[in-house]
Amino acid sequence: MKIFNAILAGVLIPVVSTFASQYLEDRQVAEKLLAEKKPAEALEVFVKLADTYAAVPSQKTDALEQACLIALQFKQYDRALDLAGKIPEPAVSKACQMRVLEAKRDWRQIITSFKSEDISIWPENQADIGFYFRGLAYARLGDQAQAISDLEKAAENGADGDNEIFKGRALCELGVIYTSLKEYQKAIDAYGNAQNSRIKGTFMLFNAIISRAALFSKLGKYEEALEELNKIDLAALSTGAWKSGVLRAYGDIYEAKGDKKQALEKYTEAISVTNAPPSDLAALKKKLEIVNP
């Protein structure tokens, strides 16, 4: 099966192997435009493909899904929603609508539209998306019980392959919720399991490692916390927020451990990182004042 490798909305969209050869040939025109960094033109090609192959639901679904996700990249929310609504396969249509509403941070509309939706009957590769976005909406609206219910399903049922990133996202979100509920071991487990999903190579991996290390430190397990942070190759992070963030995390652990010398060293190193965000620098200055009054 040929895979279309353009990353749209953080997800890899596969080409279904049963598509007719003519559709696949025509689809390659849009793929080529995307490879040439011409997404606006690719969007229009996908829209035309949806019309051309309107008689074949699976092909129309694929073309409109691609068009919807490209429109979403351009923050053309109204157009993206319109395209999503025209997708003939119900689960794909609803999952795309959720993606757009999530991008708009319209959490309440996600719940209004999909609260009663039986996502469990969706095809697996769409169900993990649906459970994730609905769970995320519940979390943002403060309904932790419903959020946990949906996010656990997304984590448990996350499809292998291209959509597995939603499993990792769900686990990271569960880590946040369990931490707020002071269920620290569950949070540690969630962040640990997230690291084994397809969040590798994304900012979520760093977040999962740093968050898990902080939880070990909170429980007084300082060696485990340091070992967790050691998973990150600092040498590969030459500048920016993540390097300053990781160094600050080291400093926080040493400070909690009572090792002010090591904490001072890490905070000082963090504050000197090129392109560290201003908010990080302000927080680090306060940390330096505490450990080196």
Side-chain angles (χ1 to χ4, degrees):
M1 181 176 75
K2 182 177 179 181
I3 297 297
F4 173 29
N5 286 322
I7 298 180
L8 299 171
V11 180
L12 293 171
I13 305 299
V15 176
V16 178
S17 59
T18 56
F19 286 162
S21 59
Q22 185 58 54
Y23 174 76
L24 292 176
E25 184 178 328
D26 292 344
R27 193 183 196 275
Q28 288 175 357
V29 175
E31 294 182 32
K32 185 173 183 293
L33 288 168
L34 284 169
E36 294 172 350
K37 301 187 186 302
K38 298 177 180 178
E41 295 176 38
L43 190 160
E44 300 308 326
V45 171
F46 279 123
V47 170
K48 289 179 181 178
L49 284 174
D51 291 335
T52 302
Y53 294 91
V56 186
S58 62
Q59 294 172 7
K60 182 176 180 180
T61 290
D62 174 69
L64 286 173
E65 181 181 21
Q66 308 298 334
C68 171
L69 295 179
I70 296 173
L72 186 56
Q73 291 293 93
F74 284 111
K75 298 184 179 180
Q76 297 175 358
Y77 300 130
D78 290 343
R79 189 177 190 191
L81 274 176
D82 178 64
L83 291 165
K86 293 176 180 176
I87 294 174
E89 294 184 10
V92 180
S93 174
K94 292 170 184 177
C96 281
Q97 290 174 55
M98 285 186 174
R99 290 177 194 256
V100 179
L101 293 170
E102 185 272 339
K104 294 175 65 178
R105 301 298 187 261
D106 196 346
W107 311 117
R108 197 162 299 282
Q109 188 58 50
I110 291 176
I111 302 306
T112 298
S113 298
F114 303 107
K115 180 178 182 179
S116 301
E117 182 72 25
D118 186 0
I119 297 174
S120 66
I121 66 173
W122 291 10
E124 185 179 8
N125 68 333
Q126 299 300 321
D128 54 354
I129 298 173
F131 279 126
Y132 169 72
F133 283 122
R134 191 172 68 181
L136 185 64
Y138 276 126
R140 296 297 180 267
L141 293 173
D143 190 337
Q144 292 177 318
Q146 289 291 347
I148 288 172
S149 177
D150 274 353
L151 291 169
E152 285 186 341
K153 290 183 179 72
E156 292 168 3
N157 302 329
D160 292 334
D162 295 324
N163 277 352
E164 195 194 356
I165 193 169
F166 288 103
K167 178 176 182 177
R169 290 180 177 180
L171 286 163
C172 286
E173 195 63 36
L174 283 168
V176 173
I177 295 172
Y178 287 137
T179 298
S180 71
L181 295 174
K182 298 183 179 181
E183 297 186 40
Y184 299 129
Q185 189 55 54
K186 285 186 177 181
I188 286 171
D189 293 342
Y191 285 127
N193 290 331
Q195 293 173 38
N196 296 320
S197 71
R198 287 192 61 170
I199 65 169
K200 293 179 179 179
T202 72
F203 73 91
M204 287 180 288
L205 176 61
F206 289 138
N207 180 65
I209 292 172
I210 291 171
S211 297
R212 194 166 189 250
L215 287 165
F216 279 129
S217 181
K218 190 175 187 69
L219 296 175
K221 299 180 178 181
Y222 304 117
E223 295 310 312
E224 288 94 329
L226 293 170
E227 184 178 341
E228 185 72 15
L229 284 185
N230 287 340
K231 293 177 181 177
I232 299 175
D233 182 6
L234 270 175
L237 303 174
S238 58
T239 64
W242 284 115
K243 183 165 187 178
S244 66
V246 174
L247 288 167
R248 177 182 171 182
Y250 273 110
D252 289 344
I253 294 168
Y254 284 122
E255 182 184 355
K257 190 180 178 181
D259 189 340
K260 288 190 174 183
K261 180 181 178 181
Q262 286 277 21
L264 178 61
E265 179 181 315
K266 293 300 181 183
Y267 290 146
T268 301
E269 190 177 351
I271 209 168
S272 65
V273 171
T274 303
N275 295 329
S279 58
D280 282 10
L281 295 176
L284 285 164
K285 286 177 182 178
K286 291 181 180 179
K287 288 286 187 179
L288 286 171
E289 292 172 1
I290 292 172
V291 299
N292 189 33

